[in-house]
Coordinates of all heavy atoms in Angstrom, one line a residue:
M1 N -34.0 -9.3 14.9 CA -34.0 -8.8 13.5 C -33.0 -7.6 13.5 O -32.9 -6.8 14.4 CB -35.4 -8.3 13.1 CG -35.5 -7.9 11.7 SD -36.8 -8.9 11.1 CE -36.4 -9.0 9.4
S2 N -32.2 -7.6 12.4 CA -31.2 -6.5 12.3 C -31.8 -5.2 11.8 O -32.8 -5.3 11.1 CB -30.0 -7.0 11.5 OG -30.5 -7.4 10.2
E3 N -31.1 -4.2 12.1 CA -31.5 -2.8 11.6 C -31.3 -2.7 10.1 O -30.3 -3.2 9.5 CB -30.7 -1.8 12.3 CG -31.0 -0.4 11.9 CD -30.1 0.6 12.7 OE1 -29.2 0.2 13.5 OE2 -30.4 1.8 12.6
R4 N -32.2 -2.1 9.4 CA -32.1 -1.8 8.0 C -31.0 -0.8 7.7 O -31.0 0.3 8.4 CB -33.4 -1.3 7.4 CG -33.4 -1.0 6.0 CD -34.7 -0.5 5.5 NE -34.9 -0.9 4.1 CZ -35.8 -1.6 3.6 NH1 -36.8 -2.0 4.4 NH2 -35.8 -1.9 2.4
I5 N -30.1 -1.0 6.8 CA -29.0 -0.1 6.5 C -29.5 0.9 5.5 O -30.0 0.5 4.4 CB -27.8 -0.9 6.0 CG1 -27.2 -1.8 7.1 CG2 -26.7 0.1 5.6 CD1 -26.8 -1.1 8.4
T6 N -29.3 2.2 5.7 CA -29.7 3.2 4.8 C -28.5 3.9 4.3 O -27.4 3.7 4.7 CB -30.6 4.2 5.5 OG1 -29.9 4.9 6.5 CG2 -31.8 3.5 6.2
M7 N -28.7 4.8 3.3 CA -27.6 5.6 2.8 C -27.0 6.5 3.9 O -25.8 6.8 3.8 CB -28.1 6.5 1.6 CG -28.2 5.7 0.3 SD -26.7 4.7 -0.2 CE -25.6 6.0 -0.6
K8 N -27.8 6.9 4.8 CA -27.3 7.7 5.9 C -26.2 6.9 6.7 O -25.2 7.5 7.1 CB -28.4 8.2 6.9 CG -29.3 9.3 6.2 CD -30.0 10.1 7.3 CE -30.8 11.2 6.7 NZ -30.1 12.3 6.2
H9 N -26.5 5.6 6.9 CA -25.5 4.8 7.6 C -24.2 4.8 6.8 O -23.1 4.9 7.3 CB -26.0 3.4 7.7 CG -27.1 3.2 8.7 ND1 -28.4 3.2 8.3 CD2 -27.1 3.1 10.1 CE1 -29.2 3.0 9.4 NE2 -28.4 3.0 10.5
L10 N -24.3 4.6 5.5 CA -23.1 4.5 4.6 C -22.4 5.9 4.6 O -21.2 6.0 4.7 CB -23.5 4.1 3.2 CG -24.1 2.7 3.0 CD1 -24.5 2.5 1.6 CD2 -23.1 1.7 3.4
E11 N -23.2 7.0 4.5 CA -22.6 8.3 4.5 C -21.8 8.6 5.8 O -20.7 9.2 5.8 CB -23.7 9.4 4.2 CG -24.2 9.3 2.8 CD -25.5 10.1 2.6 OE1 -26.0 10.7 3.6 OE2 -26.0 10.0 1.5
F12 N -22.3 8.2 6.9 CA -21.7 8.4 8.2 C -20.3 7.7 8.2 O -19.3 8.2 8.6 CB -22.5 7.9 9.3 CG -21.9 8.0 10.7 CD1 -21.8 9.3 11.3 CD2 -21.4 6.9 11.3 CE1 -21.1 9.4 12.5 CE2 -20.8 7.0 12.6 CZ -20.7 8.3 13.2
Q13 N -20.3 6.4 7.8 CA -19.0 5.7 7.7 C -18.1 6.2 6.7 O -16.9 6.3 6.9 CB -19.3 4.2 7.4 CG -20.0 3.4 8.5 CD -19.2 3.4 9.8 OE1 -18.0 3.2 9.8 NE2 -19.9 3.5 10.9
L14 N -18.6 6.7 5.6 CA -17.7 7.4 4.6 C -17.1 8.7 5.1 O -15.9 8.9 4.9 CB -18.6 7.7 3.3 CG -18.9 6.6 2.4 CD1 -19.9 7.0 1.4 CD2 -17.6 6.1 1.7
R15 N -17.9 9.4 5.9 CA -17.3 10.7 6.5 C -16.2 10.3 7.4 O -15.1 11.0 7.4 CB -18.4 11.4 7.2 CG -18.0 12.8 7.7 CD -19.0 13.7 8.2 NE -19.4 13.2 9.6 CZ -20.6 12.9 10.0 NH1 -21.6 13.1 9.2 NH2 -20.8 12.5 11.2
I16 N -16.3 9.3 8.2 CA -15.3 8.9 9.1 C -14.0 8.5 8.3 O -12.9 8.9 8.6 CB -15.7 7.7 10.0 CG1 -16.8 8.2 11.0 CG2 -14.5 7.1 10.8 CD1 -17.5 7.0 11.7
L17 N -14.2 7.7 7.3 CA -13.1 7.2 6.5 C -12.4 8.3 5.8 O -11.2 8.4 5.8 CB -13.6 6.2 5.4 CG -12.6 5.6 4.5 CD1 -11.5 4.9 5.3 CD2 -13.2 4.6 3.5
N18 N -13.2 9.2 5.1 CA -12.6 10.4 4.4 C -11.8 11.3 5.4 O -10.7 11.8 5.1 CB -13.6 11.1 3.6 CG -13.9 10.4 2.3 OD1 -13.1 10.0 1.6 ND2 -15.2 10.3 2.0
E19 N -12.4 11.5 6.6 CA -11.7 12.4 7.6 C -10.4 11.8 8.1 O -9.5 12.5 8.4 CB -12.7 12.7 8.7 CG -13.7 13.7 8.3 CD -14.7 14.1 9.4 OE1 -14.6 13.5 10.5 OE2 -15.6 14.9 9.1
H20 N -10.4 10.4 8.1 CA -9.1 9.8 8.5 C -8.0 10.2 7.6 O -6.9 10.3 8.0 CB -9.3 8.3 8.5 CG -8.1 7.5 8.9 ND1 -7.6 7.4 10.2 CD2 -7.1 7.0 8.1 CE1 -6.5 6.8 10.2 NE2 -6.1 6.5 8.9
F21 N -8.3 10.4 6.3 CA -7.3 10.8 5.3 C -7.3 12.3 5.1 O -6.7 12.8 4.1 CB -7.6 10.0 4.0 CG -7.3 8.6 4.1 CD1 -8.3 7.7 4.3 CD2 -6.0 8.1 3.9 CE1 -8.1 6.3 4.4 CE2 -5.7 6.8 4.0 CZ -6.8 5.9 4.3
G22 N -7.9 13.0 6.0 CA -7.8 14.5 5.9 C -8.7 15.1 4.9 O -8.5 16.3 4.5
I23 N -9.8 14.4 4.5 CA -10.7 14.9 3.5 C -12.0 15.3 4.1 O -12.7 14.4 4.6 CB -10.9 13.9 2.3 CG1 -9.5 13.6 1.7 CG2 -11.9 14.4 1.3 CD1 -9.5 12.5 0.7
K24 N -12.4 16.5 4.1 CA -13.7 17.0 4.6 C -14.5 17.6 3.5 O -13.9 18.4 2.7 CB -13.5 17.9 5.7 CG -12.8 17.3 6.9 CD -12.7 18.3 8.1 CE -12.0 17.5 9.2 NZ -12.0 18.3 10.5
D25 N -15.7 17.4 3.4 CA -16.6 17.9 2.3 C -16.0 17.8 0.9 O -15.8 18.7 0.2 CB -16.9 19.4 2.6 CG -17.5 19.7 4.0 OD1 -18.4 18.8 4.3 OD2 -17.2 20.6 4.6
P26 N -15.8 16.5 0.5 CA -15.2 16.3 -0.8 C -16.2 16.6 -1.9 O -17.4 16.5 -1.8 CB -14.9 14.8 -0.8 CG -15.8 14.2 0.2 CD -16.1 15.3 1.2
K27 N -15.6 17.1 -3.0 CA -16.4 17.3 -4.3 C -16.2 16.0 -5.1 O -15.5 15.1 -4.7 CB -15.8 18.5 -5.1 CG -15.7 19.7 -4.3 CD -17.1 20.3 -3.9 CE -17.0 21.6 -3.2 NZ -17.5 21.6 -1.9
W28 N -16.9 15.9 -6.2 CA -16.9 14.7 -7.0 C -15.6 14.3 -7.5 O -15.3 13.1 -7.6 CB -17.9 14.8 -8.2 CG -17.4 15.7 -9.3 CD1 -17.6 17.0 -9.3 CD2 -16.7 15.3 -10.4 NE1 -17.0 17.5 -10.5 CE2 -16.4 16.5 -11.1 CE3 -16.1 14.1 -10.9 CZ2 -15.7 16.5 -12.3 CZ3 -15.4 14.1 -12.0 CH2 -15.2 15.3 -12.8
N29 N -14.7 15.2 -7.7 CA -13.3 14.9 -8.2 C -12.2 15.2 -7.2 O -11.1 15.3 -7.6 CB -13.1 15.6 -9.5 CG -13.0 17.1 -9.3 OD1 -13.5 17.7 -8.3 ND2 -12.4 17.8 -10.3
T30 N -12.5 15.2 -5.9 CA -11.5 15.4 -4.9 C -10.6 14.1 -4.8 O -11.1 13.1 -4.5 CB -12.1 15.6 -3.5 OG1 -12.9 16.8 -3.5 CG2 -11.0 15.9 -2.4
V31 N -9.4 14.3 -5.2 CA -8.5 13.1 -5.3 C -8.3 12.5 -3.9 O -8.1 13.2 -2.9 CB -7.1 13.5 -5.9 CG1 -6.1 12.3 -5.8 CG2 -7.3 14.0 -7.3
G32 N -8.5 11.2 -3.9 CA -8.3 10.4 -2.6 C -9.6 10.2 -1.9 O -9.5 9.4 -0.9
H33 N -10.7 10.8 -2.2 CA -11.9 10.6 -1.4 C -12.6 9.3 -1.8 O -12.5 8.9 -2.9 CB -12.8 11.8 -1.4 CG -13.9 11.8 -2.4 ND1 -13.8 12.2 -3.7 CD2 -15.2 11.4 -2.2 CE1 -15.0 12.1 -4.3 NE2 -15.8 11.6 -3.4
F34 N -13.2 8.8 -0.8 CA -14.0 7.5 -1.0 C -15.5 7.9 -1.1 O -16.0 8.8 -0.5 CB -13.8 6.6 0.2 CG -12.4 6.1 0.4 CD1 -11.5 6.9 1.2 CD2 -12.0 4.9 -0.1 CE1 -10.2 6.4 1.4 CE2 -10.8 4.5 0.1 CZ -9.9 5.2 0.8
Y35 N -16.2 7.1 -1.9 CA -17.7 7.2 -1.9 C -18.3 5.9 -2.3 O -17.6 5.0 -2.8 CB -18.1 8.4 -2.8 CG -18.0 8.1 -4.3 CD1 -19.0 7.7 -5.1 CD2 -16.7 8.4 -4.9 CE1 -18.9 7.5 -6.5 CE2 -16.6 8.2 -6.3 CZ -17.7 7.7 -7.1 OH -17.5 7.5 -8.4
V36 N -19.6 5.8 -2.1 CA -20.3 4.6 -2.5 C -21.0 4.8 -3.9 O -21.8 5.8 -4.0 CB -21.3 4.1 -1.4 CG1 -22.1 3.0 -1.9 CG2 -20.6 3.8 -0.2
E37 N -20.6 4.0 -4.8 CA -21.3 4.1 -6.1 C -22.4 3.1 -6.2 O -22.3 2.0 -5.7 CB -20.2 3.7 -7.2 CG -20.7 3.7 -8.6 CD -19.6 3.3 -9.5 OE1 -19.4 2.0 -9.6 OE2 -19.0 4.1 -10.2
Q38 N -23.5 3.5 -6.8 CA -24.7 2.7 -6.9 C -25.0 2.5 -8.3 O -25.2 3.4 -9.1 CB -25.9 3.4 -6.2 CG -27.2 2.7 -6.2 CD -28.3 3.4 -5.5 OE1 -28.1 4.5 -4.9 NE2 -29.4 2.9 -5.5
A39 N -25.1 1.2 -8.7 CA -25.5 0.8 -10.1 C -25.9 -0.6 -10.2 O -25.5 -1.4 -9.3 CB -24.3 1.0 -11.0
Y40 N -26.8 -0.9 -11.1 CA -27.3 -2.3 -11.3 C -27.9 -2.9 -10.1 O -27.7 -4.1 -9.9 CB -26.1 -3.1 -11.9 CG -25.5 -2.5 -13.1 CD1 -24.2 -2.0 -13.0 CD2 -26.2 -2.4 -14.3 CE1 -23.6 -1.4 -14.1 CE2 -25.6 -1.8 -15.4 CZ -24.3 -1.3 -15.3 OH -23.7 -0.7 -16.4
G41 N -28.5 -2.1 -9.2 CA -29.1 -2.7 -8.0 C -28.1 -3.0 -6.9 O -28.5 -3.6 -5.9
G42 N -26.9 -2.6 -7.0 CA -25.9 -2.9 -6.0 C -25.1 -1.7 -5.7 O -25.2 -0.6 -6.3
Y43 N -24.2 -1.8 -4.8 CA -23.3 -0.7 -4.3 C -21.9 -1.2 -4.2 O -21.7 -2.4 -4.0 CB -23.8 -0.3 -2.8 CG -25.3 0.1 -2.8 CD1 -26.3 -0.9 -2.7 CD2 -25.6 1.4 -2.9 CE1 -27.6 -0.6 -2.7 CE2 -27.0 1.7 -2.8 CZ -27.9 0.8 -2.8 OH -29.3 1.1 -2.7
R44 N -21.0 -0.3 -4.3 CA -19.6 -0.6 -4.1 C -18.8 0.6 -3.6 O -19.2 1.7 -3.9 CB -18.9 -1.2 -5.3 CG -18.7 -0.3 -6.5 CD -18.0 -1.0 -7.6 NE -18.1 -0.1 -8.8 CZ -17.8 -0.5 -10.0 NH1 -17.4 -1.7 -10.2 NH2 -17.9 0.3 -11.0
L45 N -17.8 0.3 -2.9 CA -16.9 1.4 -2.4 C -15.8 1.7 -3.4 O -15.2 0.8 -4.0 CB -16.2 0.9 -1.1 CG -15.3 1.9 -0.4 CD1 -16.0 3.2 0.0 CD2 -14.6 1.3 0.8
V46 N -15.7 3.0 -3.8 CA -14.7 3.4 -4.7 C -13.9 4.5 -4.2 O -14.3 5.2 -3.2 CB -15.3 3.8 -6.1 CG1 -16.0 2.6 -6.7 CG2 -16.2 4.9 -6.0
R47 N -12.7 4.8 -4.8 CA -11.9 5.9 -4.4 C -11.5 6.7 -5.6 O -11.0 6.1 -6.6 CB -10.6 5.4 -3.7 CG -9.8 6.5 -3.1 CD -8.7 6.0 -2.2 NE -8.2 7.1 -1.4 CZ -7.1 7.0 -0.6 NH1 -6.4 5.9 -0.6 NH2 -6.7 8.0 0.1
V48 N -11.6 8.0 -5.6 CA -11.2 8.9 -6.7 C -9.7 8.9 -6.8 O -9.0 9.2 -5.8 CB -11.8 10.3 -6.5 CG1 -11.3 11.2 -7.6 CG2 -13.4 10.2 -6.5
M49 N -9.1 8.7 -7.9 CA -7.7 8.6 -8.1 C -7.1 9.8 -8.9 O -5.9 9.9 -8.8 CB -7.4 7.3 -8.8 CG -7.9 6.0 -8.1 SD -7.3 5.9 -6.4 CE -5.6 5.6 -6.6
N50 N -7.9 10.6 -9.6 CA -7.3 11.7 -10.3 C -8.4 12.8 -10.4 O -9.6 12.6 -10.2 CB -6.7 11.3 -11.6 CG -7.8 10.7 -12.6 OD1 -8.8 11.3 -12.7 ND2 -7.4 9.6 -13.2
E51 N -7.9 14.0 -10.8 CA -8.8 15.2 -10.9 C -9.9 15.0 -11.9 O -10.9 15.7 -11.9 CB -8.0 16.4 -11.1 CG -7.2 16.8 -9.9 CD -6.4 18.0 -10.1 OE1 -6.3 18.6 -11.2 OE2 -5.7 18.5 -9.1
G52 N -9.7 14.1 -12.9 CA -10.7 13.8 -13.9 C -11.8 13.0 -13.4 O -12.8 12.7 -14.1
G53 N -11.7 12.5 -12.2 CA -12.8 11.7 -11.6 C -12.5 10.2 -11.8 O -13.4 9.4 -11.5
G54 N -11.4 9.8 -12.3 CA -11.0 8.4 -12.4 C -11.1 7.7 -11.1 O -10.6 8.3 -10.1
E55 N -11.6 6.5 -11.0 CA -11.8 5.9 -9.7 C -11.2 4.5 -9.7 O -11.1 3.8 -10.8 CB -13.2 5.9 -9.3 CG -14.1 5.2 -10.3 CD -15.6 5.4 -10.1 OE1 -16.0 6.5 -9.6 OE2 -16.4 4.5 -10.3
R56 N -11.0 4.0 -8.5 CA -10.5 2.6 -8.3 C -11.6 1.9 -7.4 O -12.0 2.4 -6.4 CB -9.2 2.6 -7.6 CG -8.8 1.2 -7.1 CD -7.5 1.3 -6.4 NE -6.5 1.2 -7.4 CZ -5.2 1.5 -7.2 NH1 -4.8 1.8 -6.0 NH2 -4.3 1.4 -8.2
D57 N -11.9 0.7 -7.8 CA -12.8 -0.1 -7.0 C -12.1 -0.6 -5.8 O -11.0 -1.1 -5.9 CB -13.3 -1.3 -7.8 CG -14.2 -1.0 -9.0 OD1 -14.6 0.2 -9.1 OD2 -14.4 -1.8 -9.8
I58 N -12.7 -0.3 -4.6 CA -12.1 -0.8 -3.4 C -12.9 -2.1 -2.9 O -12.3 -3.0 -2.3 CB -12.3 0.3 -2.3 CG1 -11.6 1.6 -2.7 CG2 -11.7 -0.2 -0.9 CD1 -10.1 1.5 -3.0
S59 N -14.1 -2.2 -3.3 CA -14.9 -3.4 -2.9 C -15.6 -3.9 -4.2 O -15.7 -3.3 -5.2 CB -15.9 -3.1 -1.9 OG -17.0 -2.3 -2.4
K60 N -16.0 -5.2 -4.0 CA -16.9 -5.7 -5.1 C -18.3 -5.2 -4.9 O -18.6 -4.6 -3.8 CB -16.9 -7.3 -5.0 CG -15.6 -7.9 -5.2 CD -15.5 -9.4 -5.2 CE -16.7 -10.1 -4.6 NZ -16.5 -11.6 -4.5
R61 N -19.1 -5.3 -5.9 CA -20.5 -4.8 -5.7 C -21.3 -5.7 -4.7 O -21.1 -6.9 -4.7 CB -21.2 -4.9 -7.1 CG -22.5 -4.1 -7.1 CD -23.0 -3.9 -8.6 NE -22.0 -3.3 -9.5 CZ -21.8 -2.0 -9.5 NH1 -22.3 -1.2 -8.7 NH2 -20.9 -1.5 -10.4
G62 N -22.1 -5.1 -3.9 CA -22.8 -5.8 -2.9 C -24.1 -5.0 -2.4 O -24.4 -4.0 -3.0
T63 N -24.7 -5.5 -1.4 CA -25.8 -4.9 -0.8 C -25.3 -3.7 0.1 O -24.1 -3.6 0.4 CB -26.6 -5.8 0.1 OG1 -25.8 -6.2 1.2 CG2 -27.1 -7.0 -0.7
K64 N -26.3 -2.8 0.5 CA -25.9 -1.7 1.4 C -25.3 -2.3 2.7 O -24.3 -1.8 3.2 CB -27.1 -0.9 1.7 CG -27.4 0.1 0.6 CD -28.5 1.1 1.1 CE -29.8 0.6 0.6 NZ -30.9 1.5 0.8
R65 N -25.9 -3.4 3.2 CA -25.4 -4.0 4.4 C -23.9 -4.5 4.2 O -23.1 -4.3 5.1 CB -26.3 -5.1 4.9 CG -25.7 -5.8 6.1 CD -26.7 -6.7 6.8 NE -27.9 -6.0 7.2 CZ -28.0 -5.2 8.3 NH1 -26.9 -5.0 9.1 NH2 -29.1 -4.6 8.6
E66 N -23.7 -5.1 3.1 CA -22.3 -5.6 2.9 C -21.3 -4.5 2.8 O -20.2 -4.6 3.4 CB -22.3 -6.5 1.6 CG -23.0 -7.8 1.7 CD -23.2 -8.5 0.4 OE1 -23.3 -7.8 -0.7 OE2 -23.4 -9.7 0.4
I67 N -21.7 -3.4 2.1 CA -20.7 -2.3 2.0 C -20.6 -1.6 3.3 O -19.5 -1.2 3.7 CB -21.2 -1.3 0.9 CG1 -21.3 -2.0 -0.5 CG2 -20.3 -0.1 0.8 CD1 -20.0 -2.7 -0.9
Y68 N -21.7 -1.5 4.1 CA -21.6 -0.9 5.4 C -20.7 -1.7 6.3 O -19.8 -1.1 7.0 CB -23.0 -0.9 6.1 CG -23.0 -0.4 7.5 CD1 -22.9 0.9 7.8 CD2 -22.9 -1.3 8.5 CE1 -22.9 1.4 9.1 CE2 -22.8 -0.9 9.9 CZ -22.8 0.4 10.1 OH -22.7 0.9 11.4
E69 N -20.8 -3.0 6.3 CA -19.9 -3.9 7.1 C -18.4 -3.7 6.7 O -17.6 -3.7 7.6 CB -20.3 -5.3 7.0 CG -21.7 -5.6 7.6 CD -21.8 -5.4 9.1 OE1 -20.7 -5.5 9.8 OE2 -22.9 -5.3 9.6
Q70 N -18.2 -3.6 5.4 CA -16.8 -3.3 5.0 C -16.3 -2.0 5.4 O -15.2 -1.9 5.9 CB -16.7 -3.5 3.4 CG -16.9 -4.9 3.0 CD -17.0 -5.0 1.5 OE1 -16.6 -4.1 0.7 NE2 -17.5 -6.1 1.0
L71 N -17.1 -1.0 5.3 CA -16.7 0.4 5.7 C -16.5 0.4 7.2 O -15.5 1.0 7.7 CB -17.8 1.4 5.4 CG -17.8 1.9 4.0 CD1 -19.1 2.6 3.7 CD2 -16.6 2.8 3.7
Y72 N -17.4 -0.2 8.0 CA -17.2 -0.3 9.4 C -15.9 -1.0 9.8 O -15.2 -0.5 10.7 CB -18.4 -1.0 10.1 CG -18.3 -1.1 11.5 CD1 -18.8 0.0 12.4 CD2 -17.8 -2.2 12.2 CE1 -18.7 -0.1 13.7 CE2 -17.7 -2.3 13.5 CZ -18.2 -1.3 14.3 OH -18.1 -1.3 15.7
S73 N -15.6 -2.1 9.1 CA -14.4 -2.8 9.4 C -13.1 -2.0 9.1 O -12.2 -2.0 9.9 CB -14.4 -4.1 8.7 OG -15.4 -4.9 9.1
I74 N -13.1 -1.4 8.0 CA -12.0 -0.5 7.6 C -11.8 0.6 8.6 O -10.7 0.8 9.1 CB -12.2 0.1 6.2 CG1 -12.2 -0.9 5.1 CG2 -11.2 1.2 5.9 CD1 -12.7 -0.5 3.7
N75 N -12.9 1.2 9.0 CA -12.8 2.3 10.0 C -12.3 1.8 11.3 O -11.5 2.4 12.0 CB -14.1 3.1 10.2 CG -14.4 3.9 9.0 OD1 -13.5 4.4 8.3 ND2 -15.7 4.2 8.7
K76 N -12.7 0.6 11.7 CA -12.3 0.0 13.0 C -10.8 -0.3 13.0 O -10.1 0.1 14.0 CB -13.1 -1.2 13.3 CG -12.8 -1.9 14.6 CD -13.7 -3.1 14.9 CE -13.3 -3.7 16.2 NZ -14.0 -4.9 16.5
V77 N -10.3 -0.8 11.9 CA -8.9 -1.1 11.8 C -8.1 0.1 11.9 O -7.1 0.2 12.6 CB -8.6 -2.0 10.6 CG1 -7.1 -2.0 10.3 CG2 -9.2 -3.4 10.7
L78 N -8.5 1.2 11.1 CA -7.8 2.4 11.1 C -7.8 3.1 12.4 O -6.7 3.6 12.9 CB -8.4 3.4 10.0 CG -8.2 3.0 8.6 CD1 -9.0 3.9 7.7 CD2 -6.7 3.0 8.2
R79 N -8.9 3.0 13.2 CA -9.0 3.6 14.5 C -8.1 2.8 15.5 O -7.3 3.4 16.2 CB -10.4 3.6 15.0 CG -10.7 4.2 16.3 CD -12.1 4.3 16.7 NE -12.9 3.1 16.5 CZ -13.8 2.9 15.5 NH1 -14.1 3.8 14.6 NH2 -14.4 1.7 15.4
E80 N -8.1 1.5 15.4 CA -7.2 0.7 16.3 C -5.8 0.9 16.0 O -5.0 1.0 16.9 CB -7.6 -0.8 16.2 CG -8.9 -1.1 16.8 CD -9.4 -2.6 16.5 OE1 -8.7 -3.3 15.7 OE2 -10.4 -3.0 17.0
R81 N -5.5 1.1 14.7 CA -4.1 1.4 14.3 C -3.6 2.7 14.9 O -2.5 2.8 15.4 CB -3.9 1.3 12.8 CG -2.5 1.5 12.3 CD -2.5 1.2 10.8 NE -1.1 1.5 10.4 CZ -0.8 2.2 9.3 NH1 -1.8 2.6 8.5 NH2 0.4 2.4 9.0
A82 N -4.5 3.7 14.8 CA -4.1 5.0 15.3 C -4.0 5.0 16.8 O -3.1 5.6 17.4 CB -5.2 6.1 14.9
D83 N -4.9 4.3 17.5 CA -4.8 4.1 18.9 C -3.5 3.4 19.3 O -2.8 3.8 20.3 CB -6.0 3.4 19.5 CG -7.3 4.1 19.4 OD1 -7.2 5.4 19.2 OD2 -8.3 3.5 19.6
A84 N -3.1 2.4 18.6 CA -1.9 1.6 18.9 C -0.7 2.5 18.7 O 0.3 2.5 19.5 CB -1.8 0.4 18.0
R85 N -0.7 3.3 17.7 CA 0.4 4.2 17.4 C 0.5 5.2 18.6 O 1.6 5.5 19.1 CB 0.2 5.0 16.1 CG 1.4 5.8 15.7 CD 1.3 6.5 14.3 NE 0.0 7.1 14.1 CZ -0.8 6.7 13.1 NH1 -0.6 5.7 12.4 NH2 -2.0 7.4 13.0
L86 N -0.6 5.8 19.1 CA -0.6 6.7 20.2 C 0.0 6.0 21.4 O 0.7 6.6 22.2 CB -1.9 7.3 20.4 CG -2.5 8.2 19.4 CD1 -3.9 8.7 19.7 CD2 -1.6 9.5 19.2
D87 N -0.5 4.7 21.7 CA 0.0 4.0 22.8 C 1.5 3.8 22.7 O 2.2 3.9 23.7 CB -0.7 2.6 22.9 CG -2.1 2.7 23.4 OD1 -2.5 3.8 23.8 OD2 -2.9 1.7 23.2
W88 N 2.0 3.4 21.5 CA 3.4 3.2 21.3 C 4.2 4.5 21.5 O 5.2 4.5 22.2 CB 3.7 2.7 19.9 CG 5.1 2.5 19.6 CD1 5.9 3.3 18.8 CD2 6.0 1.5 20.1 NE1 7.2 2.9 18.7 CE2 7.3 1.8 19.6 CE3 5.8 0.4 21.0 CZ2 8.4 1.0 19.8 CZ3 7.0 -0.3 21.2 CH2 8.2 -0.1 20.7
E89 N 3.7 5.6 21.0 CA 4.4 6.9 21.2 C 4.5 7.3 22.7 O 5.5 7.7 23.2 CB 3.8 8.0 20.4 CG 4.0 7.8 18.9 CD 3.2 8.7 18.0 OE1 2.3 9.5 18.6 OE2 3.3 8.6 16.8
G90 N 3.4 7.0 23.4 CA 3.3 7.3 24.8 C 4.3 6.4 25.6 O 5.0 6.9 26.5
Y91 N 4.3 5.1 25.2 CA 5.3 4.2 25.8 C 6.7 4.6 25.6 O 7.5 4.6 26.5 CB 5.0 2.8 25.3 CG 6.1 1.8 25.7 CD1 6.1 1.3 26.9 CD2 7.1 1.4 24.8 CE1 7.1 0.4 27.3 CE2 8.1 0.5 25.1 CZ 8.1 0.0 26.4 OH 9.1 -0.9 26.8
M92 N 7.0 5.0 24.4 CA 8.4 5.5 24.1 C 8.8 6.7 24.9 O 9.9 6.8 25.3 CB 8.6 5.7 22.6 CG 8.5 4.4 21.8 SD 9.7 3.1 22.3 CE 11.2 3.9 21.9
R93 N 7.8 7.6 25.0 CA 8.1 8.8 25.8 C 8.4 8.5 27.3 O 9.3 9.0 27.9 CB 7.0 9.8 25.8 CG 6.9 10.7 24.5 CD 6.0 11.8 24.6 NE 4.6 11.4 24.8 CZ 3.8 11.1 23.7 NH1 4.2 11.2 22.5 NH2 2.5 10.7 24.0
E94 N 7.7 7.5 27.8 CA 7.9 7.0 29.2 C 9.3 6.4 29.3 O 10.0 6.6 30.3 CB 6.8 6.1 29.6 CG 5.5 6.7 29.9 CD 4.4 5.7 30.2 OE1 4.7 4.6 30.6 OE2 3.2 6.1 30.1
V95 N 9.6 5.5 28.3 CA 10.9 4.8 28.4 C 12.1 5.8 28.3 O 13.1 5.6 29.0 CB 11.0 3.8 27.2 CG1 12.4 3.2 27.1 CG2 10.0 2.7 27.5
E96 N 11.9 6.8 27.4 CA 13.0 7.8 27.2 C 13.2 8.7 28.4 O 14.2 9.3 28.6 CB 12.8 8.5 25.9 CG 12.9 7.6 24.7 CD 12.5 8.3 23.4 OE1 12.0 9.4 23.5 OE2 12.7 7.7 22.4
A97 N 12.1 8.9 29.2 CA 12.1 9.9 30.3 C 13.0 9.4 31.5 O 13.4 8.3 31.7 CB 10.7 10.1 30.8

């Protein structure tokens, strides 16, 4: 049986995602920050696009588990991309030395 996904799970993944973009402790209208919107019995990932709080849907509405899986996947790709960039930069330093 799989673990029940809670808002704490989503908030943890959101913190990782926002910190990747240099956003810590965002307010409701912090441009660029991601959050999970809850309505009509579902959840979706959105990103604030302007200081007025305008937002863009990043995901379709789904269950907490579905949104968690999307957040986890986004964070994994961003982490792997950052690691690959570091590996490439290290490789280039070795080649140039």
